[in-house]
Amino acid sequence: MTEMNAPLKPLTQLPAWSKLAAHYGAIKDIQLRQLFADAPERTAHFSAEGAGLFLDYSKHRITEETIRLLIRLAGEAGLQDRIDAMFRGERINLTEDRAVLHVALRTQRGESILVDGENVVPMVHAVLDRLASFAEQVRNGTWNGHTGKRIRNVVNIGIGGSDLGPVMAYEALRHYSSRDMTFRFVSNVDGTDFAEATRDLDPAETLFIVSSKTFTTLETMTNARTARAWLVQNLGDDGAVTRHFVAVSTNAAEVAKFGIDTANMFGFWDWVGGRYSMASAIGLSTMIAIGPDNFRAMLAGFRAMDEHFRTTPFERNLPVLMGLLTVWYANFFGAQTVAVLPYDLYLKRFPAYLQQLTMESNGKGVTLSGTDVDYQTGPIFWGEPGTNGQHSFYQLIHQGTRLIPCDFIGFCRALNPVGSHHDILMANLFAQSEALAFGKTADEVRKEGTPEWLVPHRTFPGNYPSSTILADQLTPEILGALVALYEHSVFTQGVIWQIDSFDQWGVELGKVLAQRIIGELCSEEEPPLGHDSSTNALIMRYRNKRDAEM
Ligand code: G6Q
């Protein structure tokens, strides 16, 4: 057993855990109004900066003692050893017996990270170079379609980790993208996804990127076969596949079996988890959209945060602080969710992306040693861009009965400066975090002349915690840093909770569960059903209605 596998004391028996529990008892009713009145310079203490991101965590229900104890907990949980083990390429994904090396995707040429004695950095850069050359060819029209027409449309076919990163990054970096090309993302096995994505596309100008680590995922392979049929039917030649299909995968055999020349395949490795793969070849659509230079800038942003995480003392380490605050609210205040509220429309898919990153990683109920946890693990992440969310669900955060810690994300400079729009946008961000923290007392409401019966309704309890992440501008570098911030925050949480943040057995189950029923729905002879009575009745009803005359 390596050092990092040495049995740890159960989390709730760590000395810092009991100290935190006692500390929580002492400060649980503490008011942010009071904390700020007592220490007007509070933000100077409770803020940190790294990789171009400024984190203000002063509007949290914490004191210096809270942070001291949380950092002590991180120490007792062996966080630094685990960080080092990840960067060394150790097999910290225990249940899949794999290294966890998305950080290797962001290394510079000349660095060295060994997996089973082999330096993976040259492999990473060899693929990056091939990706860059291919992306350039598509962008400058050297790589044409089968009929000689220029490629104008790129459709990424993938799901989960092979979709959410590409689609989020494309939306986030749209400002930097080639505006004379169209990018679409087909993930759902619902035929509507493919139909709507391709209805206005000219097949002769369309490139499909089939992105699948395993190249066996039902949804992706179904969509890929449909895409191939659509292309061949429209162009009237099987040979067209060569110029219109490329693959991103770890499984060359399946790629070849599908009919894509492995010369047109871009590889990655089993030590890149699906939800951690947007900086790998899975980012091909991103690279075609924004160009190789911008893609490399994004990698540099990832790398800056990786280095910050690996080397910065925990007191000033952004992902560590954010991860520990998530633990503080989940385990001591009983918070069930975290809201992520980007004040930038380009980040509209960022909450969805984070849902997979956080919830697939830390939605675990068993520790690394196989025992059931007796504490909460990963909270539910959700959110929408501001200011839109303010006109819908923020009501519940302000005046509902639940404690929902929020992450506000904003930028000091607009990418589309239009009059005073950006100032108005940012004013809203600042106002929301202020209102959540400090609320409005009944007396303040009365002073506004509110009739007494209405006072309770117009009073805001406040004392709701939030972090604010500010950056200068949404650039490729900053997007990389932001994603890495959350990746490493998730890592920090997983280490504290003693779980495997890098497996996904629930997803694997989903991949096999539907197969039996697919056979029952798709075969001619309609085999007898052996499910529970509810499932049998639903399937029968579906079959009857489906086959009935309209
Ligand atoms: C991610 C998960 C999962 C995966 C998809 C697609 O961490 O493992 O979301 O990315 O199921 O898998 P393939 O890339 O193998 O098609």
Side-chain angles (χ1 to χ4, degrees):
M1 244 185 197
T2 64
E3 191 188 337
M4 78 111 204
N5 292 341
L8 271 179
K9 266 196 184 162
L11 173 60
T12 52
Q13 289 174 27
L14 294 176
W17 184 269
S18 337
K19 290 210 155 40
L20 275 162
H23 173 69
Y24 167 72
I27 72 151
K28 65 182 187 325
D29 296 324
I30 209 163
Q31 296 293 308
L32 285 167
R33 275 183 183 241
Q34 194 58 49
L35 289 172
F36 274 83
D38 292 348
E41 75 293 358
R42 186 173 160 82
T43 306
H45 282 296
F46 297 111
S47 57
E49 218 163 336
L53 303 181
F54 174 77
L55 170 69
D56 174 357
Y57 62 101
S58 60
K59 293 192 186 83
H60 279 288
R61 287 159 71 169
I62 53 169
T63 63
E64 289 191 14
E65 176 70 354
T66 321
I67 294 297
R68 202 181 61 75
L69 289 174
L70 285 169
I71 286 173
R72 194 164 151 192
L73 180 68
E76 290 173 11
L79 178 59
Q80 190 62 56
D81 284 349
R82 294 292 303 278
I83 295 173
D84 294 342
M86 171 169 73
F87 278 85
R88 270 200 306 271
E90 284 185 28
R91 293 172 181 263
I92 61 167
N93 176 355
L94 287 190
T95 72
E96 295 182 330
D97 191 24
R98 286 178 180 165
V100 173
L101 271 182
H102 41 282
V103 291
L105 302 168
R106 291 97 78 136
T107 45
Q108 279 177 303
R109 275 180 224 280
E111 290 183 42
S112 167
I113 295 186
L114 302 182
V115 176
D116 299 330
E118 187 183 7
N119 182 9
V120 298
V121 177
M123 293 164 23
V124 165
H125 283 275
V127 173
L128 266 176
D129 291 343
R130 280 188 62 225
L131 287 168
S133 142
F134 179 72
E136 270 311 344
Q137 287 177 51
V138 174
R139 283 164 64 84
N140 66 25
T142 327
W143 179 282
N144 284 331
H146 183 65
T147 65
K149 276 193 173 180
R150 194 168 173 149
I151 297 293
R152 300 260 173 223
N153 318 307
V154 174
V155 180
N156 185 75
I157 298 178
I159 196 165
S162 301
D163 166 69
L164 287 161
V167 76
M168 181 279 287
Y170 171 66
E171 292 296 344
L173 300 176
R174 207 177 194 156
H175 183 78
Y176 305 87
S177 69
S178 255
R179 300 298 183 143
D180 56 352
M181 295 183 76
T182 299
F183 291 84
R184 302 262 165 89
F185 299 85
V186 173
S187 55
N188 203 312
V189 76
D190 183 339
T192 297
D193 209 3
F194 180 81
E196 287 293 340
T198 51
R199 61 180 301 138
D200 56 348
L201 300 187
D202 175 357
E205 298 183 341
T206 302
L207 174 74
F208 290 98
I209 303 175
V210 185
S211 297
S212 175
K213 183 171 172 179
T214 54
F215 231 72
T216 55
T217 303
L218 175 69
E219 293 91 331
T220 300
M221 298 327 294
T222 306
N223 278 319
R225 279 191 290 272
T226 300
R228 186 177 53 193
W230 176 83
L231 182 95
V232 169
Q233 195 187 356
N234 279 290
L235 297 187
D237 184 355
D238 272 343
V241 170
T242 320
R243 301 297 291 179
H244 293 269
F245 275 79
V246 296
V248 177
S249 187
T250 57
N251 190 344
E254 285 296 326
V255 169
K257 209 152 97 192
F258 178 84
I260 297 178
D261 186 345
T262 48
N264 298 335
M265 166 183 159
F266 302 91
F268 60 115
W269 307 273
D270 73 352
W271 39 261
V272 182
R275 56 193 172 277
Y276 295 89
S277 66
M278 63 172 272
S280 73
I282 289 290
L284 177 57
S285 57
T286 317
M287 199 191 265
I288 298 175
I290 64 173
D293 289 348
N294 279 322
F295 194 86
R296 287 186 194 280
M298 183 181 81
L299 294 181
F302 270 107
R303 180 163 64 245
M305 185 55 77
D306 294 343
E307 275 309 287
H308 172 88
F309 180 54
R310 193 174 67 80
T311 60
T312 308
F314 291 169
E315 291 75 8
R316 287 181 281 117
N317 192 313
L318 272 65
V320 170
L321 290 166
M322 280 184 60
L324 291 175
L325 286 167
T326 306
V327 169
W328 175 234
Y329 290 110
N331 296 118
F332 296 96
F333 285 84
Q336 297 286 326
T337 82
V338 176
V340 182
L341 309 167
Y343 277 63
D344 191 303
L345 202 58
Y346 284 126
L347 290 180
K348 65 181 176 194
R349 296 291 289 165
F350 193 58
Y353 172 79
L354 283 188
Q355 284 191 319
Q356 184 192 27
L357 177 67
T358 58
M359 289 157 72
E360 205 168 273
S361 296
N362 286 343
K364 311 288 161 65
V366 171
T367 66
L368 285 165
S369 48
T371 52
D372 288 346
V373 299
D374 54 358
Y375 42 83
Q376 292 289 330
T377 59
I380 298 155
F381 275 71
W382 59 286
E384 276 286 323
T387 61
N388 294 18
Q390 290 174 210
H391 299 265
S392 81
F393 56 80
Y394 278 38
Q395 167 63 34
L396 185 146
I397 310 180
H398 281 289
Q399 288 188 306
T401 53
R402 294 165 200 278
L403 177 77
I404 302 177
C406 299
D407 289 352
F408 289 95
I409 301 171
F411 300 93
C412 300
R413 281 197 295 274
L415 288 171
N416 295 299
V418 182
S420 52
H421 282 237
H422 197 66
D423 289 340
I424 295 171
L425 175 72
M426 292 303 289
N428 272 277
L429 182 162
F430 299 132
Q432 288 297 325
S433 69
E434 188 177 27
L436 285 170
F438 306 114
K440 200 185 225 184
T441 64
D443 279 348
E444 286 167 344
V445 176
R446 273 187 204 104
K447 276 195 196 124
E448 291 172 350
T450 305
E452 197 54 34
W453 68 271
L454 203 49
V455 168
H457 299 279
R458 300 192 61 177
T459 300
F460 289 79
N463 218 24
Y464 289 126
S466 67
S467 298
T468 299
I469 300 163
L470 269 188
D472 288 353
Q473 196 163 40
L474 179 53
T475 59
E477 288 95 326
I478 288 298
L479 182 71
L482 201 53
V483 172
L485 169 68
Y486 279 93
E487 286 177 347
H488 299 321
S489 166
V490 162
F491 181 95
T492 301
Q493 296 156 39
V495 169
I496 303 291
W497 291 323
Q498 304 183 356
I499 55 179
D500 189 331
S501 299
F502 300 102
D503 61 11
Q504 56 282 313
W505 295 104
V507 181
E508 311 305 331
L509 174 72
K511 289 188 176 185
V512 291
L513 269 186
Q515 288 300 344
R516 173 177 167 201
I517 301 183
I518 288 172
E520 291 162 355
L521 296 187
C522 296
S523 72
E524 293 286 311
E525 65 275 13
E526 301 203 338
L529 303 173
H531 305 274
D532 60 276
S533 59
S534 161
T535 310
N536 284 347
L538 288 167
I539 293 174
M540 302 274 279
R541 187 179 172 85
Y542 170 78
R543 278 179 183 169
N544 291 338
K545 294 277 179 192
R546 176 190 67 182
D547 301 337
E549 294 284 324
M550 285 291 280

